Amino acid sequence: MNYYSVERNERRTRQNALWVTATLYVALSAVIYLQMGDKPTPKPDSSHTTTPMKTITPATRPAAMPKA
């Protein structure tokens, strides 16, 4: 093989590797950027649950009968 053709093949191989690397980098950046936009809705915090307050009902008394 000729010296110049070997150099040209090596240069072309390096240039192709550079293009593939740059393309993959841009594609990965785009995928990560698009995934960051999909934020899930926040779940309610269950660690601070409140207990329902008990209602106090007064003791019932029998109705007084009218005196006749």
Side-chain angles (χ1 to χ4, degrees), residues 1-67:
M1 249 198 206
N2 192 356
Y3 172 76
Y4 294 109
S5 63
V6 172
E7 284 290 322
R8 185 176 56 222
N9 286 340
E10 287 179 1
R11 193 178 326 116
R12 186 178 301 145
T13 302
R14 277 185 269 131
Q15 189 175 20
N16 287 342
L18 178 65
W19 280 110
V20 168
T21 303
T23 304
L24 289 176
Y25 179 78
V26 169
L28 180 63
S29 299
V31 167
I32 290 174
Y33 176 76
L34 292 175
Q35 290 295 322
M36 293 297 287
D38 298 339
K39 294 191 184 282
T41 56
K43 294 181 180 177
D45 188 16
S46 62
S47 63
H48 298 336
T49 57
T50 57
T51 57
M53 294 181 61
K54 294 181 180 178
T55 55
I56 300 173
T57 55
T60 56
R61 296 184 207 165
M65 296 295 279
K67 295 184 181 183

